[in-house]
Amino acid sequence: MMLIKWNDKYNVGNPIIDEQHQKLIQIAQKANGILHQQTFDKYEEVRAVLDELKDYTRFHFETEEQIMLQGNFSNYIAHKKLHDEFLFEIEEMISKVYDDLTDNTIRAILNFLVEWLIGHIYGNDKNMVLEITK
């Protein structure tokens, strides 16, 4: 698996959101780095990073939702629903494998996270920032 590196094309035009998106990518890269270590005790480290990822994602969504409310974003409810569904799904994935982590399950979680995040940035966040900064 090749995780993405941050690229300015992922910027949505809001410095707070862009910085938080970069941080999410960095945490995913950290988990990916641990995954590629050839040690048997890496899974405790991976658990900690997955928890960090889940917690930071929740924090990021709360921040983004505040920005949407302050900007009177017309599609707030649908956008928040996407956040809620993603959090539910990522928490389910992590809790199901928490006691039985393998390289494959970690890869699946990271792939899901990165693919969702990039799609969300392009499809939802860019449109949201465009609307609230008009």
Side-chain angles (χ1 to χ4, degrees), residues 73-90:
F73 180 52
S74 64
N75 207 19
Y76 170 79
I77 292 173
H79 198 122
K80 183 178 182 339
K81 186 172 187 261
L82 293 172
H83 288 174
D84 294 344
E85 288 169 354
F86 175 79
L87 273 177
F88 177 80
E89 197 154 341
I90 201 79

Side-chain angles (χ1 to χ4, degrees), residues 19-55:
E19 183 180 312
Q20 290 184 1
H21 287 163
Q22 286 179 46
K23 173 82 171 159
L24 283 168
I25 298 294
Q26 288 168 355
I27 297 169
Q29 288 171 330
K30 183 164 61 168
N32 192 51
I34 295 167
L35 176 64
H36 286 91
Q37 293 174 6
Q38 298 303 316
T39 58
F40 292 104
D41 58 351
K42 66 184 172 188
Y43 294 109
E44 202 52 50
E45 268 186 274
V46 169
R47 275 188 198 92
V49 175
L50 290 176
D51 284 342
E52 179 185 1
L53 197 55
K54 185 175 58 176
D55 293 343

Side-chain angles (χ1 to χ4, degrees), residues 43 47 50 93-106 109:
Y43 294 109
R47 275 188 198 92
L50 290 176
M93 288 176 86
I94 291 172
S95 67
K96 279 182 187 168
V97 301
Y98 201 79
D99 293 324
D100 188 30
L101 285 178
T102 65
D103 288 4
N104 287 337
T105 57
I106 297 163
I109 290 168

